[in-house]
Amino acid sequence: MSLPPEKATELKQIIHDHLIKMDIHGKIRDVLAETVRGDGHHGQRSLSEEDFIHALQRRGIVDDVMKDLHFTNVDVSHTEADTVNKSATRFVDKNITQLKTTNISPLRRYLYLQVLGGKAFLEHLQEPEPLPGQVCSTFILHLYFRNQRFRSKPVPCACEPDLQEGFLLEVHRDGPGDASKMADATTMLSICDPVHMVLIKTDTSRDTTLVSSYFLDWRTVLSAPNGKNGVSVELLGVGSECKVPAGVLNLKLELYPPLTETLSPDVIATQQSLERRKTAEKERLFLVYAKQWWQEFLEIRPSHQSKLVKIFAQDENGVNRPVCSYIRVLRAGRLLESPRQAARFVSLLAQERAPMVGGGVRQEQWCSMMAFLCRNKGECEDHATLLCSLLLGFGLDAYVCVGTKAKNIPHTWVMTCGTDGSITFWESFTAHRYLHRPIDPDAPPMVPQPKPTHPYRTLGCVFNHKTFLANCQPSDAVELCVFDFTDGSRWKAMSEEAVRSVCAPGSTSSLPPTPPLCSPSIVPNEASNQLELEMRYLLAEHRKDLGLATVWDDHLSYLLSAALSAYELERSTGVSCGNEEFQDAVRRAVPDGHTFKGFPIHFLHRNARRAFATCLRSPFCEEIVCCRGDHVRLAVRVRVFAYPESACAVWIMFACKYRSVL
């Protein structure tokens, strides 16, 4: 069978990566030395190639190579993008989650980034060696570079974690006519995009923690004489620990194909210095402008000093960035079909405050989008900026709102402005939508006023990727706000040019690039079946402890699927349907004289024991699980709905039917 040239190149690269991963050269040297020593005892007969191949076969080297070599023909990390598909070639171990691969182009330049292990992760100094088959905490390294996302296989947490991975990153320019050109040294020097590396720790209960977020300037490899460069990067912690080392990763950078002419280290250092100075000057000028703008805002009304007008926010690395830079126009390709489905996806990302040691005032931490997506949970600011970015991608006029909710608690939510002047609030934690109906304070007392349905109390400012507006109305109460952004007496706007100078994509080299979304990492049917089996086992064991037998009604379990599907459809679209069919099916399945009870519940995780313990806290669920009576039949149904990244909506419904005895 003949292969096209690009396929042959891809095949060679996969085999090459696999042989390097196995340290095949070291094994061959050992066998060669052993064979030569053995032949030394049998005279001076020369060692033939056939003898050496037999020696490799006897030692099982060939079998080991072929046993673990597997190929797959799918995309890396399921990335959806609107630009041209980026490529990477990966060896896939049969024991890890299979990552997707695409064809490697012989006309493109690639950066091969190898992770050669970690060290000095002192927080795990006392971590015991995991036993075979034992569930333990793991590290996963996520990478993002120019619209390409990668993820390592999980490795046990340790002081010296065994992170051994290779990633093939395509290096190219995005300009017109550049797609078919191989990037030369000068072109690559002008590409200032870093490799964003995010290290995530997952504990035994599947809870994730952001360990470090690091930006690697890879361009030092352009001066390496042989096109290879080894570096050790010190990863720092996040949030309140952003100055504390978290550990060290040993990396090796290599260009494919190698450069014919390398650059001088002085040229690279000069380019990096120029970029830093240019960025620093832009940021300085924006800070001067922001101070002047703030002073003018305070002169309008003294009470403005207490308004929540958020111009800058600290990211996970403790860097102050303009809030507008946290938002980008983000298109989800075919992963999300509508703005409401986007809101549903964001609401499925868990809510968690940034951890801190000790008491006192909570330190605020906004996350870069890559860190938020990899961690799969965050604060209200992270949810709101992601939702606003997605709504902008769907063509809506969306803004992030900074204000307070009940009990004067600071909060962040999203707002969209319709072409008809309507204002809609979006709660990113729940995907609920609220139509804003302003109160007219000048109306006569007898005129009925609309009652607010939303939970928001005050509003200090609104912003998106190119606009920042502070609320300068006499009252910052949301129900009294008039959202006419063209009225300078109600809203003080920042200069769009000033915002664009530090927040537009590519405006400064310090802005973290925005990654595309990845397609779901779980198979819904398999996840649903597995979780349902676990829930059945837990329910049966619980009843056994109570001295009760468990008889399942599989038909009734199947009928519950319709209800769970309708619940998720309502959450993602806001439209309720299918309840009539479900109710009719249940009436037919429950005989006369019998009683039916059902209890649906929703989760954001797939931990069966946690879910079952939560269910038992409800008296309605406990009544079903512990049902006693005549002809008791039990049913449980689980539906897992997969969303981008590793987000999922888990619906579980417990039900029982029994003969009513008066």
Side-chain angles (χ1 to χ4, degrees), residues 526-538 552 554 557-558 561 564 608 636-640 652:
E526 293 178 5
S528 300
N529 290 337
Q530 179 62 31
L531 186 54
E532 186 171 312
L533 288 173
E534 293 176 12
M535 296 304 292
R536 281 196 173 208
Y537 171 78
L538 292 172
W552 296 104
D554 291 334
S557 295
Y558 177 73
S561 289
L564 299 183
V636 63
R637 193 64 169 174
V638 175
R639 284 292 306 274
V640 176
I652 303 175

Side-chain angles (χ1 to χ4, degrees), residues 89-263:
T89 303
R90 291 291 311 274
F91 156 71
V92 179
D93 192 322
K94 64 182 179 181
N95 294 322
I96 65 172
T97 304
Q98 288 200 348
L99 300 183
K100 295 190 172 182
T101 60
T102 55
N103 295 333
I104 181 171
S105 170
L107 302 177
R108 294 292 181 95
R109 184 88 64 186
Y110 295 90
L111 173 68
Y112 186 48
L113 189 153
Q114 282 182 282
V115 184
L116 304 176
K119 59 184 179 181
F121 285 82
L122 300 180
E123 187 175 334
H124 302 279
L125 188 60
Q126 305 297 328
E127 200 85 22
E129 192 75 20
L131 299 173
Q134 179 186 4
V135 178
C136 61
S137 300
T138 58
F139 282 139
I140 296 180
L141 182 65
H142 298 258
L143 267 70
Y144 171 62
F145 178 69
R146 295 181 70 77
N147 228 35
Q148 304 161 79
R149 285 182 64 179
F150 302 83
R151 184 182 65 187
S152 74
K153 66 177 182 291
V155 300
C157 293
C159 183
E160 297 185 356
D162 187 29
L163 279 163
Q164 302 283 342
E165 289 285 341
F167 306 98
L168 200 63
L169 315 177
E170 185 178 322
V171 185
H172 67 283
R173 294 288 294 174
D174 289 328
D178 291 327
S180 60
K181 296 178 183 177
M182 182 179 291
D184 57 15
T186 306
T187 301
M188 289 190 287
L189 182 62
S190 67
I191 299 175
C192 60
D193 297 52
V195 179
H196 192 179
M197 307 170 67
V198 176
L199 186 63
I200 299 292
K201 175 186 174 182
T202 306
D203 63 20
T204 52
S205 62
R206 297 180 184 171
D207 195 29
T208 56
T209 305
L210 176 61
V211 177
S212 183
S213 175
Y214 183 83
F215 296 93
L216 172 70
D217 193 332
W218 53 275
R219 290 175 292 179
T220 53
V221 74
L222 301 178
S223 64
N226 56 356
K228 300 178 182 179
N229 185 29
V231 293
S232 293
V233 298
E234 183 181 56
L235 304 180
L236 298 177
V238 296
S240 58
E241 300 176 17
C242 63
K243 305 298 182 186
V244 181
V248 175
L249 286 182
N250 296 320
L251 308 176
K252 181 181 176 184
L253 305 176
E254 187 172 357
L255 286 174
Y256 286 117
L259 292 172
T260 53
E261 292 184 11
T262 59
L263 299 177

Side-chain angles (χ1 to χ4, degrees), residues 282-294 312:
K282 285 186 175 182
E283 291 174 346
R284 185 190 68 81
L285 291 174
F286 180 77
L287 180 60
V288 170
Y289 169 77
K291 286 182 176 179
Q292 178 187 350
W293 180 92
W294 175 247
F312 296 93

Side-chain angles (χ1 to χ4, degrees), residues 31-32 34-36 39 44-59:
V31 174
L32 181 59
E34 180 182 312
T35 308
V36 170
D39 283 353
Q44 298 299 319
R45 182 174 65 86
S46 61
L47 181 65
S48 68
E49 182 179 340
E50 186 178 352
D51 293 334
F52 185 55
I53 291 176
H54 284 317
L56 289 175
Q57 289 175 335
R58 283 198 307 272
R59 287 284 296 270

